[in-house]
Coordinates of all heavy atoms in Angstrom, one line a residue:
F609 N 5.9 18.4 247.0 CA 5.3 19.1 248.1 C 6.3 19.4 249.1 O 6.4 20.5 249.7 CB 4.1 18.2 248.7 CG 3.5 19.0 249.8 CD1 2.4 19.8 249.6 CD2 3.8 18.8 251.1 CE1 1.8 20.5 250.6 CE2 3.2 19.4 252.2 CZ 2.2 20.3 252.0
D612 N 8.6 22.2 247.9 CA 7.9 23.5 248.0 C 7.7 24.0 249.4 O 7.9 25.3 249.7 CB 6.4 23.4 247.3 CG 6.5 23.1 245.9 OD1 7.5 23.4 245.2 OD2 5.4 22.8 245.3
R613 N 7.5 23.1 250.3 CA 7.4 23.6 251.7 C 8.7 24.0 252.3 O 8.7 25.0 253.0 CB 6.7 22.4 252.5 CG 6.5 22.9 254.0 CD 5.8 21.8 254.8 NE 5.5 22.2 256.1 CZ 5.0 21.4 257.0 NH1 4.7 20.1 256.7 NH2 4.9 21.8 258.3
E616 N 9.6 25.6 256.1 CA 8.5 26.3 256.7 C 7.7 25.4 257.7 O 7.4 24.2 257.3 CB 7.6 26.9 255.6 CG 8.3 27.9 254.8 CD 8.6 29.2 255.5 OE1 7.9 29.5 256.5 OE2 9.5 29.9 255.1
Q617 N 7.3 26.0 258.8 CA 6.6 25.2 259.7 C 5.1 25.3 259.5 O 4.2 24.4 259.9 CB 6.8 25.7 261.2 CG 8.2 25.5 261.6 CD 8.7 24.1 261.7 OE1 8.0 23.2 262.1 NE2 9.8 23.8 261.1
T618 N 4.6 26.3 258.8 CA 3.2 26.4 258.5 C 3.0 26.3 257.0 O 3.9 26.5 256.2 CB 2.7 27.9 259.0 OG1 3.5 28.9 258.3 CG2 2.8 28.0 260.5
L619 N 1.8 25.9 256.6 CA 1.3 25.7 255.3 C 0.9 27.0 254.6 O 0.2 27.7 255.3 CB 0.4 24.5 255.2 CG 0.8 23.3 255.6 CD1 -0.4 22.3 255.6 CD2 1.9 22.7 254.9
S620 N 1.2 27.2 253.4 CA 0.6 28.3 252.6 C -0.8 28.0 252.3 O -1.3 26.8 252.5 CB 1.4 28.4 251.3 OG 1.2 27.3 250.5
P621 N -1.6 29.0 251.9 CA -3.0 28.8 251.7 C -3.3 27.7 250.7 O -4.4 27.1 250.8 CB -3.5 30.2 251.2 CG -2.5 31.2 251.8 CD -1.2 30.5 251.8
D622 N -2.5 27.5 249.8 CA -2.8 26.5 248.7 C -2.4 25.1 249.1 O -2.8 24.1 248.5 CB -2.1 26.9 247.4 CG -2.5 26.1 246.2 OD1 -3.7 25.9 246.0 OD2 -1.6 25.5 245.5
Q623 N -1.4 25.0 250.0 CA -0.8 23.7 250.3 C -1.7 22.7 251.0 O -1.6 21.5 250.8 CB 0.5 23.9 251.2 CG 1.6 24.5 250.3 CD 2.9 24.7 251.2 OE1 2.8 24.9 252.4 NE2 4.0 24.7 250.5
P624 N -2.6 23.1 252.0 CA -3.5 22.1 252.5 C -4.3 21.2 251.5 O -4.5 20.1 251.6 CB -4.4 22.9 253.5 CG -3.6 24.1 253.8 CD -2.9 24.4 252.6
R625 N -4.8 22.0 250.5 CA -5.6 21.3 249.4 C -4.6 20.3 248.7 O -5.1 19.1 248.4 CB -6.1 22.3 248.4 CG -7.0 21.6 247.3 CD -7.7 22.7 246.5 NE -6.8 23.5 245.7 CZ -7.2 24.3 244.8 NH1 -8.4 24.5 244.5 NH2 -6.2 25.1 244.1
S626 N -3.4 20.7 248.4 CA -2.5 19.8 247.7 C -2.2 18.6 248.6 O -2.1 17.5 248.1 CB -1.2 20.5 247.3 OG -1.5 21.6 246.5

Side-chain angles (χ1 to χ4, degrees):
F609 182 86
D612 290 346
R613 184 179 180 183
E616 295 293 332
Q617 297 299 314
T618 59
L619 299 177
S620 66
D622 187 51
Q623 286 180 335
R625 182 173 65 173
S626 298

